[in-house]
């Protein structure tokens, strides 16, 4: 969960891979859809949720929590049911004008087939955000400072 910074850092190689795949997809000159698939255990997805800022409770869990606060937690085991999944979908909204680069691409995140707001970049009333904003606000810092060996030390 959100308790230790190491939980977030464990997914840095996956974040780096996603960052590279999104850059590649957004700079492709092919009109064919690009599909990048990654398969992992639920524990890997938990770490990725931290980077994405999903299911973040305002107050960390405490042994003194009331039953009501435990039941209304966002970070709990129900967010990763059997066969859970995360999907990032990139949309090109102006494919004819390839000179605009990132500004023509949007990203949408689905958690278990349900579109979810990306906390650091979704606009009011929508679950999508500019790909450029997603990369800058969500992925870049984690991807650029990734040193998995350092995490393991």
């Amino acid at each position: 969960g959100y308790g230790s910074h190491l939980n977030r850092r464990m997914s840095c190689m996956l974040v780096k891979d996603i960052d590279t795949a999104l850059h590649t997809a957004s700079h492709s000159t092919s009109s064919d859809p690009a599909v990048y698939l990654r398969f992992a255990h639920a524990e890997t997805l938990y770490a990725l949720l931290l980077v994405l800022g999903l299911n973040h409770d305002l107050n960390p869990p405490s042994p003194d929590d009331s039953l009501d606060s435990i039941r209304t937690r966002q970070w709990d085991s129900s967010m990763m049911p059997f066969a859970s999944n995360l999907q990032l979908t990139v949309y090109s909204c102006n494919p004819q004008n390839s000179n605009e680069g990132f500004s023509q691409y949007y990203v949408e995140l689905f958690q278990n087939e349900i579109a979810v707001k990306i906390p650091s970049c979704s606009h009011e009333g929508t679950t999508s955000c500019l790909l450029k904003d997603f990369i800058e606000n969500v992925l870049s810092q984690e991807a650029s400072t990734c040193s998995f060996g350092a995490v393991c030390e």
Side-chain angles (χ1 to χ4, degrees), residues 56-69:
H56 191 266
D57 291 302
L58 294 176
N59 299 312
S62 160
D64 300 324
D65 284 347
S66 68
L67 185 57
D68 188 49
S69 74

PDB file of all heavy atoms in Angstrom, residues 56-69:
ATOM      1  N   HIS A  56      -6.236   5.671  -3.400  1.00  0.00           N
ATOM      2  CA  HIS A  56      -5.476   6.284  -2.306  1.00  0.00           C
ATOM      3  C   HIS A  56      -6.420   6.795  -1.224  1.00  0.00           C
ATOM      4  O   HIS A  56      -7.281   7.626  -1.479  1.00  0.00           O
ATOM      5  CB  HIS A  56      -4.624   7.433  -2.847  1.00  0.00           C
ATOM      6  CG  HIS A  56      -3.645   7.944  -1.866  1.00  0.00           C
ATOM      7  ND1 HIS A  56      -3.914   9.013  -1.049  1.00  0.00           N
ATOM      8  CD2 HIS A  56      -2.395   7.538  -1.557  1.00  0.00           C
ATOM      9  CE1 HIS A  56      -2.868   9.251  -0.274  1.00  0.00           C
ATOM     10  NE2 HIS A  56      -1.939   8.356  -0.567  1.00  0.00           N
ATOM     11  N   ASP A  57      -6.270   6.274  -0.026  1.00  0.00           N
ATOM     12  CA  ASP A  57      -7.059   6.752   1.110  1.00  0.00           C
ATOM     13  C   ASP A  57      -6.412   7.996   1.687  1.00  0.00           C
ATOM     14  O   ASP A  57      -5.177   8.088   1.760  1.00  0.00           O
ATOM     15  CB  ASP A  57      -7.130   5.668   2.196  1.00  0.00           C
ATOM     16  CG  ASP A  57      -7.963   4.488   1.769  1.00  0.00           C
ATOM     17  OD1 ASP A  57      -9.140   4.694   1.442  1.00  0.00           O
ATOM     18  OD2 ASP A  57      -7.425   3.365   1.755  1.00  0.00           O
ATOM     19  N   LEU A  58      -7.212   8.952   2.117  1.00  0.00           N
ATOM     20  CA  LEU A  58      -6.669  10.174   2.702  1.00  0.00           C
ATOM     21  C   LEU A  58      -5.921   9.888   3.998  1.00  0.00           C
ATOM     22  O   LEU A  58      -4.890  10.483   4.280  1.00  0.00           O
ATOM     23  CB  LEU A  58      -7.778  11.195   2.943  1.00  0.00           C
ATOM     24  CG  LEU A  58      -8.455  11.736   1.686  1.00  0.00           C
ATOM     25  CD1 LEU A  58      -9.595  12.672   2.050  1.00  0.00           C
ATOM     26  CD2 LEU A  58      -7.438  12.442   0.798  1.00  0.00           C
ATOM     27  N   ASN A  59      -6.454   8.962   4.785  1.00  0.00           N
ATOM     28  CA  ASN A  59      -5.806   8.591   6.038  1.00  0.00           C
ATOM     29  C   ASN A  59      -5.294   7.158   5.936  1.00  0.00           C
ATOM     30  O   ASN A  59      -6.053   6.256   5.575  1.00  0.00           O
ATOM     31  CB  ASN A  59      -6.797   8.685   7.208  1.00  0.00           C
ATOM     32  CG  ASN A  59      -7.321  10.083   7.379  1.00  0.00           C
ATOM     33  OD1 ASN A  59      -6.562  11.046   7.398  1.00  0.00           O
ATOM     34  ND2 ASN A  59      -8.634  10.213   7.469  1.00  0.00           N
ATOM     35  N   PRO A  60      -4.026   6.940   6.248  1.00  0.00           N
ATOM     36  CA  PRO A  60      -3.506   5.568   6.172  1.00  0.00           C
ATOM     37  C   PRO A  60      -4.194   4.669   7.198  1.00  0.00           C
ATOM     38  O   PRO A  60      -4.674   5.144   8.227  1.00  0.00           O
ATOM     39  CB  PRO A  60      -2.018   5.734   6.495  1.00  0.00           C
ATOM     40  CG  PRO A  60      -1.882   7.052   7.152  1.00  0.00           C
ATOM     41  CD  PRO A  60      -3.035   7.900   6.707  1.00  0.00           C
ATOM     42  N   PRO A  61      -4.253   3.371   6.911  1.00  0.00           N
ATOM     43  CA  PRO A  61      -4.888   2.442   7.856  1.00  0.00           C
ATOM     44  C   PRO A  61      -4.210   2.490   9.221  1.00  0.00           C
ATOM     45  O   PRO A  61      -3.003   2.689   9.317  1.00  0.00           O
ATOM     46  CB  PRO A  61      -4.685   1.076   7.209  1.00  0.00           C
ATOM     47  CG  PRO A  61      -4.393   1.345   5.786  1.00  0.00           C
ATOM     48  CD  PRO A  61      -3.762   2.694   5.726  1.00  0.00           C
ATOM     49  N   SER A  62      -5.007   2.297  10.239  1.00  0.00           N
ATOM     50  CA  SER A  62      -4.510   2.332  11.614  1.00  0.00           C
ATOM     51  C   SER A  62      -5.181   1.218  12.410  1.00  0.00           C
ATOM     52  O   SER A  62      -6.324   0.855  12.129  1.00  0.00           O
ATOM     53  CB  SER A  62      -4.847   3.702  12.227  1.00  0.00           C
ATOM     54  OG  SER A  62      -4.805   3.650  13.618  1.00  0.00           O
ATOM     55  N   PRO A  63      -4.496   0.695  13.437  1.00  0.00           N
ATOM     56  CA  PRO A  63      -5.125  -0.347  14.258  1.00  0.00           C
ATOM     57  C   PRO A  63      -6.361   0.163  15.000  1.00  0.00           C
ATOM     58  O   PRO A  63      -7.203  -0.628  15.416  1.00  0.00           O
ATOM     59  CB  PRO A  63      -4.039  -0.728  15.269  1.00  0.00           C
ATOM     60  CG  PRO A  63      -2.784  -0.137  14.778  1.00  0.00           C
ATOM     61  CD  PRO A  63      -3.122   0.940  13.814  1.00  0.00           C
ATOM     62  N   ASP A  64      -6.476   1.474  15.125  1.00  0.00           N
ATOM     63  CA  ASP A  64      -7.617   2.060  15.831  1.00  0.00           C
ATOM     64  C   ASP A  64      -8.793   2.394  14.922  1.00  0.00           C
ATOM     65  O   ASP A  64      -9.763   2.986  15.369  1.00  0.00           O
ATOM     66  CB  ASP A  64      -7.170   3.334  16.562  1.00  0.00           C
ATOM     67  CG  ASP A  64      -6.078   3.056  17.578  1.00  0.00           C
ATOM     68  OD1 ASP A  64      -6.125   1.984  18.214  1.00  0.00           O
ATOM     69  OD2 ASP A  64      -5.172   3.902  17.723  1.00  0.00           O
ATOM     70  N   ASP A  65      -8.708   2.036  13.641  1.00  0.00           N
ATOM     71  CA  ASP A  65      -9.778   2.353  12.703  1.00  0.00           C
ATOM     72  C   ASP A  65     -11.087   1.706  13.122  1.00  0.00           C
ATOM     73  O   ASP A  65     -11.112   0.568  13.594  1.00  0.00           O
ATOM     74  CB  ASP A  65      -9.423   1.871  11.290  1.00  0.00           C
ATOM     75  CG  ASP A  65      -8.414   2.761  10.605  1.00  0.00           C
ATOM     76  OD1 ASP A  65      -8.164   3.877  11.100  1.00  0.00           O
ATOM     77  OD2 ASP A  65      -7.880   2.347   9.566  1.00  0.00           O
ATOM     78  N   SER A  66     -12.163   2.442  12.929  1.00  0.00           N
ATOM     79  CA  SER A  66     -13.488   1.900  13.217  1.00  0.00           C
ATOM     80  C   SER A  66     -13.879   0.922  12.110  1.00  0.00           C
ATOM     81  O   SER A  66     -13.314   0.936  11.011  1.00  0.00           O
ATOM     82  CB  SER A  66     -14.517   3.031  13.279  1.00  0.00           C
ATOM     83  OG  SER A  66     -14.684   3.583  11.984  1.00  0.00           O
ATOM     84  N   LEU A  67     -14.841   0.092  12.391  1.00  0.00           N
ATOM     85  CA  LEU A  67     -15.329  -0.875  11.412  1.00  0.00           C
ATOM     86  C   LEU A  67     -15.845  -0.137  10.174  1.00  0.00           C
ATOM     87  O   LEU A  67     -15.631  -0.575   9.041  1.00  0.00           O
ATOM     88  CB  LEU A  67     -16.413  -1.758  12.020  1.00  0.00           C
ATOM     89  CG  LEU A  67     -16.924  -2.896  11.154  1.00  0.00           C
ATOM     90  CD1 LEU A  67     -15.784  -3.812  10.716  1.00  0.00           C
ATOM     91  CD2 LEU A  67     -17.978  -3.687  11.893  1.00  0.00           C
ATOM     92  N   ASP A  68     -16.496   1.004  10.382  1.00  0.00           N
ATOM     93  CA  ASP A  68     -17.020   1.783   9.263  1.00  0.00           C
ATOM     94  C   ASP A  68     -15.888   2.299   8.369  1.00  0.00           C
ATOM     95  O   ASP A  68     -15.981   2.239   7.146  1.00  0.00           O
ATOM     96  CB  ASP A  68     -17.863   2.957   9.787  1.00  0.00           C
ATOM     97  CG  ASP A  68     -18.571   3.666   8.667  1.00  0.00           C
ATOM     98  OD1 ASP A  68     -19.210   2.979   7.835  1.00  0.00           O
ATOM     99  OD2 ASP A  68     -18.479   4.912   8.605  1.00  0.00           O
ATOM    100  N   SER A  69     -14.799   2.790   8.957  1.00  0.00           N
ATOM    101  CA  SER A  69     -13.693   3.289   8.133  1.00  0.00           C
ATOM    102  C   SER A  69     -12.981   2.144   7.408  1.00  0.00           C
ATOM    103  O   SER A  69     -12.486   2.325   6.295  1.00  0.00           O
ATOM    104  CB  SER A  69     -12.706   4.112   8.960  1.00  0.00           C
ATOM    105  OG  SER A  69     -11.925   3.284   9.783  1.00  0.00           O
TER     106      SER A  69
END
